[in-house]
Amino acid sequence: MVWMKRILAQQRLHIQLQECIRKNAANTLSMANMLMGLSSILCILKGHHYFASWLLLIGYLLDLADGAVARQLNACSSLGAKLDDFADFTTFGIASALLLPIHSVLDGLLVICYIMTVFTRLCFFSSGIPFMYRGLPCAYASVILACTNLLSRGNLLILQLTAILMVLLMVDKGLYPHDKILESQSWKKLVYAGGIVMILCSSVPSACVYYLVWSASYILFPAALWSYKD
């Protein structure tokens, strides 16, 4: 009887462990996204803008994955939604905005404006239309800004013009589809896999062009290319 109790105890422990993993897998990805944002901020403070930009791109991939994992494992929760918002604000709001050099009061105001725009997007992103966002999701704006930083080598004017354009797109009333890339057609999953490969090629600055084209296609052809389809 003792060995039977031990077996049952081990089975219960195994079931509890599986349930814990199921419930927290997506939250772990959200926390990893936040970690990328915080690491990016530290890199920016140390002057390592190149690494900071690539950390933002990694955060973008993690952001696409956490929602998909939560839905696939039936682990959506209010805690997970809050963690996702906090992670997005850290990575795509604060860290992304700090890519903009601050040499004057106006430069600082642009940084604050960008951060507040992301904050507003995260608070009021729902369009009331199923599977649609109102305004450009902040993750894509962050990708565009990070890629611009990499390709322009931190050119102040180009970064500021890009940031202003992203702010306008985020507050715009245009509709953008939910980016359920990992739950849609196979070619979109291949696009995501290509993004992972580009991270491995991050020593080559031009590798970020892949992300630039990816995000630009979402902005230019949202419904035609990126609407959610099984």
Side-chain angles (χ1 to χ4, degrees), residues 29-41 55 87 90-91:
L29 291 173
S30 293
M31 292 296 291
N33 179 16
M34 184 181 292
L35 180 62
M36 293 302 106
L38 293 172
S39 300
S40 179
I41 292 171
L55 287 169
T90 302
T91 304

Side-chain angles (χ1 to χ4, degrees), residues 54 56-62 64 143 181-182 187-202 207-212 214-215 226:
W54 278 105
L56 293 178
L57 296 179
I58 295 174
Y60 167 70
L61 293 179
L62 291 169
L64 291 177
V143 169
I181 291 175
L182 294 176
W187 70 267
K188 293 180 183 177
K189 297 173 184 176
L190 289 176
V191 170
Y192 185 91
I196 297 176
V197 173
M198 291 302 107
I199 294 296
L200 301 177
C201 300
S202 59
C208 71
V209 173
Y210 183 90
Y211 286 91
L212 185 62
W214 181 353
S215 296
W226 297 104

Side-chain angles (χ1 to χ4, degrees), residues 15 44 65 106 115 192 194:
I15 292 172
I44 292 169
L106 288 177
I115 293 174
Y192 185 91

Side-chain angles (χ1 to χ4, degrees), residues 154-230:
N155 183 280
L156 176 60
L157 179 59
I158 295 176
L159 278 173
Q160 288 179 333
L161 291 175
T162 302
I164 292 171
L165 176 60
M166 293 302 103
V167 166
L168 293 175
L169 288 174
M170 283 190 282
V171 300
D172 181 49
K173 294 184 179 179
L175 295 175
Y176 293 87
H178 282 199
D179 44 356
K180 296 181 179 180
I181 291 175
L182 294 176
E183 304 164 80
S184 193
Q185 300 106 309
S186 296
W187 70 267
K188 293 180 183 177
K189 297 173 184 176
L190 289 176
V191 170
Y192 185 91
I196 297 176
V197 173
M198 291 302 107
I199 294 296
L200 301 177
C201 300
S202 59
S203 58
V204 181
S206 58
C208 71
V209 173
Y210 183 90
Y211 286 91
L212 185 62
V213 173
W214 181 353
S215 296
S217 69
Y218 180 84
I219 295 172
L220 296 173
F221 311 105
L225 287 179
W226 297 104
S227 57
Y228 173 66
K229 297 176 183 178
D230 293 323

